[in-house]
């Protein structure tokens, strides 16, 4: 979702004309390290204005590098997990939303996570109107 104007020769490229506002990419993080039997927050941040809803998806498979989502109308976005479970959220006017995650009592298990939002009215979005975050691996202690 970030605007990259490409390389510019400043000696000939002045004055600089901005074409669009730059936006931080959608991001997913954990509030703390996952410890078996506890509760943590999976925080989706940099949610653009106009987002209708979002989701945190969970799975066991990690796709590294990610699978391009350009074919479904999300160029520049990638899928990093197999999305076995979906936790929906409705951000309203918030740019950051915590999603409660009950860490299973399974030390040694790794759960893959990713955030997604549907923001068709956002200033910078994809033809589908959706954005995806980074992937996040939760290694349960």
């Amino acid at each position: 979702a970030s605007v990259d104007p490409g390389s510019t020769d400043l000696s000939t490229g002045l004055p600089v004309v901005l074409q669009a506002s730059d936006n931080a990419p959608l991001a997913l993080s954990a509030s703390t390290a996952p410890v078996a039997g506890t509760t943590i927050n999976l925080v989706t941040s940099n949610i653009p204005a106009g987002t209708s809803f979002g989701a945190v998806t969970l799975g066991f498979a990690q796709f590294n590098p990610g699978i391009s989502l350009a074919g479904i109308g999300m160029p520049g976005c990638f899928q990093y997990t197999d999305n076995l479970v979906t936790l929906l959220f409705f951000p309203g006017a918030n740019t950051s939303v915590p999603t409660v995650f009950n860490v299973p009592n399974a030390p040694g298990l790794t759960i893959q996570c990713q955030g997604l939002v549907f923001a068709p009215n956002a200033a910078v979005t994809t033809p589908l109107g959706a954005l995806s975050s980074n992937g996040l691996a939760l290694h349960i202690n």
Side-chain angles (χ1 to χ4, degrees), residues 72-96:
I72 64 167
M74 295 174 63
C77 294
F78 298 90
Q79 179 181 349
Y80 294 108
T81 187
D82 52 356
N83 304 330
L84 298 176
V85 175
T86 301
L87 307 172
L88 288 176
F89 63 82
F90 300 92
N94 298 315
T95 60
S96 181

Side-chain angles (χ1 to χ4, degrees), residues 106-127:
L109 180 68
T110 298
I111 298 175
Q112 306 296 327
C113 311
Q114 184 170 15
L116 304 163
V117 295
F118 183 66
N121 299 324
V124 177
T125 189
T126 61

Side-chain angles (χ1 to χ4, degrees), residues 3-53:
V3 177
D4 180 1
S7 299
T8 303
D9 181 352
L10 293 178
S11 66
T12 61
L14 297 176
V16 174
V17 178
L18 298 177
Q19 296 178 354
S21 61
D22 196 18
N23 296 306
L26 189 68
L28 181 67
S29 61
S31 60
T32 187
V35 175
T38 64
T39 300
I40 65 170
N41 286 318
L42 299 174
V43 182
T44 307
S45 55
N46 303 326
I47 299 172
T51 295
S52 304
F53 64 91

